[in-house]
Amino acid sequence: MALIAAGSIFSVPLPARVPMRVTLTPTAYLVCASVLPTPWLVVCTAAGVTAAKAITRYPRSASLHKAIHNTSKDILAATAAGTAMHLAGARPAAHGMDGIAPSVSAYALGLTMAAVVVVLIEEFVTTAAVSLATRRRFASTLRYLWQTRLLVGAAETAMSGLAVAVVMVDERALAALPVAMMVLHLALSYRMKLREERRAWERHAALADALTSRDLDAVVHTAARGAVELFGAQAAEIELSPERRLIRADGQALVVYDGPARAAEDLGLGAPSAVYEIGAEATGLQGLLRLYLESPAASLSSRERATARALAATISTSIDNATSYQKLAAESASHALAATHDGLTGLPNRQAFTASVAHADGPEVHVLVVGFENLRLINETFGRTVGDRLLAELARRLRAFFPSPDYRVGRISGSEFAVAIGNAPTEVAYHKACRAVLALRGKVALNGLDLSVRASAGLTRGPLDNAAALVAAAEEIMWRSVQLSQDQLVTLEDDRPSGVAAGLDRSRVSLSFQPVVDLVDGEVRAVQALPGWLFSRHGLLPADEHVYQLAADPQLLYKITERILARSLSAAQTWRVSLPTVPVIVPVSPRAISDEAVETTTRLLGKYSMPGSSLVLALSESAPVADSRAAHRLREMGVRLLLDDFGSTSHSLASLSATKFSFLRVHPAYAMEHRWRESAAVIRAAVDLSFDLDMAVVVPHVLQERQRRDLVSLGCSLGSGSLFGDPSFPSEFREQLARWVPPAVDELSAETGNVVPLRPHRIQPSRHAVGP
């Protein structure tokens, strides 16, 4: 009994939080099985193991089930060992080992059989209990340190055989076995301790090497998995602050959760067995390392606590390094982007755009440079913030218009964009450029404002290896056109391609109407025809002077003018029943006014039974009237003329003096910027001229009641815009007129009533003007 108690006391725990112990109890009851009958062996095993548990204070209230399990297992193993000895023919008597000499082989066979049975019971029963307690797989637990356990089993068998041989010589040697067991226990404990410490620090060093990643996600995932493997924990968690990110690894060293800590499910393992701060002394991220061992009552050894503290410090350093690398990488990427791209629009800057042109397809490339003439005016009037948002929207439109990788878009200066069009004929490139600039000229709604820019462009072509010179040439072409007051969409250095203009003659004409109303009483005084060409499936080209300029051939210009007049007068029949005396305003090119145009107009008015007073021809001031005599003949017929886009060029007064006009329409930009002093001055000048030359002033793009009120106070009489109705197709326009109710007149307009405004005072010279 004393021998078995000593064997149970002298036990060596296995490392890494696995609840298994290598004991010398099997050695004790194998020796006892050789000298005692089986009943006495069972009694001595039960008494000895129980005494050992009481001496070591093992049966605590929380671990009583473990003490009962281990005692039962030892009794079972001792019974199996005695049974094996009995079956082998070795039947020791209670009074000693008399008669052993003639049956040495039986005792050797019995001892071998007993050792095998004891090892099998120890391994399988203990492994099954550990698997149930730790929720590990049976095969994984059975393989854990199997070499060490096999070696211990072989040592126990050998020691048992040696002890039996010694006892056979002299039974008094049994008294020395407890001392031998203690020596073996100390040797095994020291050996296991050294080996485990070496392996623990090797695993920690390998984990530290794995934590040198520059990726923060890889660092925290590796740390969570490594903590499970290093301490044999059921789970490990790393929580990073202040973002409260939680990374969790299970007992199989697999990351099972990575997300917000508040959304993580409860593990059901109770409170963590150990908690360590991460980065308490670091300057980077802070956090916690939590370990969940086999039970809430389990704790780390002193060596494991030192390892855990070292691991927390390593994780802290690794997180700091990964965070620093991420910040450096982001800052480097930001600097690289800032060096090559515009921060406002995200487009490549001039240097990057020029470099990218060299990689365009084909032997040559077309370079388009678009400039915004009134961007500075918008910045000064509405603020730089509004100007920046406007630029961002224009950049978005340009990217949307050229989405293919075959095109390259960049911002080459504060008020200029550039586009490289590769692998395309000049006619196609010119057509796409015209439509792009038309899209940029469309209004942009920002902060309750409807803004538009005066966009003009220059287009050139050349070899890929001369990109910088191409950009500079296109820029020069564009600004030279602006300085010459040529309000063109796109200007070419050479002759314009004729294919685009010829395509206009073959295209269908689309038409819509918009009312022109009296700004005071809201009654419809005229109807604006808005014709356009369905040039291609990509969009509509409006019939204005920007498109008329494409027709350099006079015969082609007369032909398309005739189509526009015929389509407008024909469509006007749909609403003339509602407005029989209201004229229709049709835009034509001043270069188309000729004797042929007079004959065409006479024929079309007769065809549709319309008097001459029912037609108003809108002529842009960007070009002079081709034949003033023909213009006079049109007026004699009752056809009235409207000078369009007043104030857009320096030819405004020359146009008024060359031909008699009945209407004067200011440029849309002045209506948009009517509160700016210079714009108000142009509008007042137009009003003064209208009184002197007996004309009516028309203001387009009236969007708000406040704008209408301001224009009335400036003396304007007629206006159009979304405040009074958006453009609509002829049938829709007829229905709109059927439901027409003059827009309500606000207080200021009501005060004006039907009184004809007197001639406004002329704008006085600025007191800041420089004297002679």
Side-chain angles (χ1 to χ4, degrees):
M1 185 182 74
L3 182 63
I4 294 175
S8 182
I9 292 173
F10 299 143
S11 61
V12 182
L14 291 181
R17 311 317 311 163
V18 176
M20 298 175 64
R21 303 170 72 88
V22 176
T23 72
L24 299 179
T25 307
T27 303
Y29 49 67
L30 282 176
V31 173
C32 292
S34 301
V35 298
L36 294 174
T38 300
W40 281 101
L41 173 63
V42 174
V43 172
C44 291
T45 301
V49 172
T50 303
K53 303 305 181 187
I55 293 172
T56 57
R57 297 180 181 178
Y58 185 79
R60 301 185 300 270
S61 59
S63 303
L64 183 61
H65 63 285
K66 293 184 180 179
I68 296 173
H69 168 270
N70 290 336
T71 303
S72 302
K73 180 198 66 175
D74 289 337
I75 294 173
L76 176 63
T79 303
T83 303
M85 294 290 291
H86 184 79
L87 292 176
R91 299 178 178 89
H95 58 273
M97 298 183 65
D98 296 340
I100 196 172
S103 58
V104 172
S105 60
Y107 270 86
L109 177 60
L111 185 63
T112 303
M113 291 174 58
V116 171
V117 170
V118 168
V119 169
L120 291 177
I121 291 175
E122 286 279 344
E123 291 300 319
F124 284 96
V125 173
T126 303
T127 301
V130 171
S131 298
L132 292 174
T134 61
R135 299 178 184 177
R136 292 173 178 267
R137 291 181 296 179
F138 180 85
S140 175
T141 307
L142 186 63
R143 289 195 302 269
Y144 184 77
L145 291 179
W146 67 271
Q147 294 175 329
T148 299
R149 301 202 312 273
L150 183 61
L151 181 62
V152 171
E156 290 174 342
T157 304
M159 186 174 176
S160 302
L162 180 61
V164 171
V166 173
V167 171
M168 288 173 61
V169 177
D170 189 349
E171 293 183 4
R172 291 175 295 182
L174 285 173
L177 279 179
V179 178
M181 288 182 178
M182 183 181 67
V183 174
L184 181 60
H185 161 73
L186 294 176
L188 283 175
S189 297
Y190 184 70
R191 174 71 177 174
M192 293 291 292
K193 181 179 179 181
L194 290 180
R195 181 176 180 181
E196 180 58 24
E197 286 185 356
R198 176 170 52 86
R199 293 185 60 176
W201 288 112
E202 286 176 353
R203 290 194 298 267
H204 181 269
L207 180 57
D209 290 339
L211 291 175
T212 57
S213 173
R214 299 181 180 181
D215 185 3
L216 180 60
D217 292 341
V219 167
V220 293
H221 287 190
T222 302
R225 294 195 304 266
V228 170
E229 295 175 345
L230 194 60
F231 301 102
Q234 294 192 68
E237 292 180 343
I238 294 178
E239 183 176 339
L240 302 178
S241 56
E243 64 269 23
R244 298 299 304 279
R245 176 186 176 188
L246 182 69
I247 300 92
R248 176 183 293 166
D250 63 3
Q252 304 300 322
L254 299 175
V255 175
V256 294
Y257 182 78
D258 184 355
R262 62 178 179 275
E265 296 182 359
D266 187 12
L267 288 173
L269 299 177
S273 304
V275 179
Y276 291 90
E277 290 185 346
I278 297 176
E281 304 296 334
T283 58
L285 295 175
Q286 306 293 315
L288 294 175
L289 169 63
R290 302 189 187 98
L291 297 175
Y292 295 86
L293 303 181
E294 70 275 9
S295 67
S299 60
L300 300 176
S301 65
S302 59
R303 191 269 308 160
E304 290 173 329
R305 288 195 296 270
T307 304
R309 288 192 297 270
L311 176 61
T314 303
I315 295 174
S316 172
T317 303
S318 300
I319 290 177
D320 284 339
N321 291 340
T323 304
S324 299
Y325 275 119
Q326 284 186 348
K327 290 180 179 179
L328 287 174
E331 187 175 356
S332 176
S334 175
H335 288 323
L337 185 66
T340 58
H341 287 71
D342 171 51
L344 176 63
T345 62
L347 296 176
N349 58 19
R350 191 185 194 97
Q351 181 180 1
F353 173 79
T354 303
S356 68
V357 171
H359 299 90
D361 296 333
E364 289 188 333
V365 65
H366 291 82
V367 175
L368 173 74
V369 172
V370 184
F372 306 116
E373 304 170 44
N374 61 333
L375 180 62
R376 180 179 178 183
L377 172 65
I378 293 174
N379 285 333
E380 293 176 352
T381 305
F382 302 106
R384 188 62 178 265
T385 302
V386 174
D388 288 346
R389 293 181 59 189
L390 176 63
L391 274 176
E393 171 60 20
L394 295 176
R396 186 197 64 77
R397 289 186 181 182
L398 202 58
R399 282 196 300 264
F401 201 86
F402 295 100
S404 171
D406 296 336
Y407 308 107
R408 288 161 175 81
V409 183
R411 184 186 181 190
I412 59 175
S413 73
S415 60
E416 294 178 2
F417 290 159
V419 181
I421 306 174
N423 197 22
T426 300
E427 291 187 1
V428 174
Y430 183 76
H431 172 52
K432 290 187 71 67
C434 287
R435 289 192 292 111
V437 177
L438 278 174
L440 294 178
R441 287 191 174 194
K443 65 181 181 181
V444 179
L446 292 176
N447 295 340
L449 300 171
D450 286 315
L451 306 177
S452 60
V453 295
R454 303 187 192 115
S456 301
L459 181 68
T460 188
R461 64 179 177 179
L464 299 179
D465 56 358
N466 199 20
L470 290 177
V471 173
E475 207 171 12
E476 181 180 355
I477 294 170
M478 182 266 298
W479 286 117
R480 183 165 54 282
S481 173
V482 172
Q483 291 170 359
L484 294 176
S485 300
Q486 298 173 351
D487 189 14
Q488 299 184 161
L489 293 178
V490 180
T491 305
L492 286 173
E493 189 172 19
D494 52 3
D495 293 334
R496 301 185 192 90
S498 58
V500 176
L504 294 178
D505 181 41
R506 298 189 298 269
S507 302
R508 292 175 54 195
V509 176
S510 173
L511 190 70
S512 58
F513 291 107
Q514 188 175 26
V516 178
V517 305
D518 190 306
L519 290 176
V520 175
D521 58 25
E523 295 290 343
V524 178
R525 303 300 183 189
V527 176
Q528 175 68 55
L530 299 171
W533 284 279
L534 296 170
F535 189 83
S536 69
R537 62 183 177 88
H538 299 292
L540 178 73
L541 289 179
D544 56 13
E545 188 58 31
H546 301 128
V547 179
Y548 283 131
Q549 66 183 346
L550 302 178
D553 182 10
Q555 293 302 319
L556 177 61
L557 181 62
Y558 299 151
K559 190 173 182 180
I560 61 179
T561 301
E562 181 180 0
R563 291 189 61 195
I564 291 296
L565 280 172
R567 182 74 175 88
S568 299
L569 295 179
S570 173
Q573 303 304 307
T574 59
W575 50 264
R576 285 194 60 78
V577 176
S578 301
L579 300 173
T581 61
V582 171
V584 57
I585 304 175
V586 181
V588 298
S589 174
R591 296 183 294 115
I593 302 302
S594 61
D595 291 338
E596 185 174 357
V598 174
E599 295 174 1
T600 299
T601 302
T602 303
R603 178 172 52 82
L604 291 175
L605 288 174
K607 178 179 179 180
Y608 296 107
S609 303
M610 296 174 61
S613 59
S614 62
L615 176 63
V616 177
L617 299 180
L619 310 178
S620 174
E621 70 168 21
S622 60
V625 175
D627 189 342
S628 57
R629 293 178 59 258
H632 182 68
R633 290 178 57 193
L634 287 171
R635 289 186 58 84
E636 289 180 342
M637 294 167 49
V639 177
R640 288 167 288 180
L641 304 180
L642 181 149
L643 180 62
D644 210 354
D645 292 336
F646 179 80
S648 61
T649 69
S650 59
H651 307 310
S652 302
L653 296 179
S655 301
L656 286 173
S657 61
T659 306
K660 183 173 179 58
F661 292 89
S662 302
F663 301 91
L664 185 151
R665 182 158 52 195
V666 298
H667 193 277
Y670 296 112
M672 178 191 71
E673 301 152 0
H674 64 281
R675 292 199 168 195
W676 190 55
R677 186 177 185 279
E678 281 74 3
S679 295
V682 173
I683 295 175
R684 280 191 174 275
V687 172
D688 285 345
L689 287 172
S690 69
F691 279 103
D692 292 336
L693 301 179
D694 192 20
M695 296 184 299
V697 176
V698 182
V699 182
H701 291 282
V702 180
L703 309 176
Q704 300 174 350
E705 187 63 35
R706 183 185 64 181
Q707 183 183 6
R708 171 189 182 185
R709 187 170 59 245
D710 294 342
L711 293 172
V712 169
S713 65
L714 288 173
C716 301
S717 54
L718 301 177
S720 62
S722 59
L723 180 63
F724 309 111
D726 292 321
S728 55
F729 293 116
S731 59
E732 297 173 343
F733 185 72
R734 178 182 56 197
E735 297 174 0
Q736 179 183 353
L737 291 179
R739 301 187 303 269
W740 181 263
V741 176
V745 181
D746 63 4
E747 295 179 1
L748 190 144
S749 299
E751 293 176 1
T752 306
N754 294 324
V755 178
V756 178
L758 299 176
R759 181 194 304 269
H761 64 82
R762 301 181 184 275
I763 300 295
Q764 298 297 324
S766 172
R767 59 186 179 88
H768 300 291
V770 179

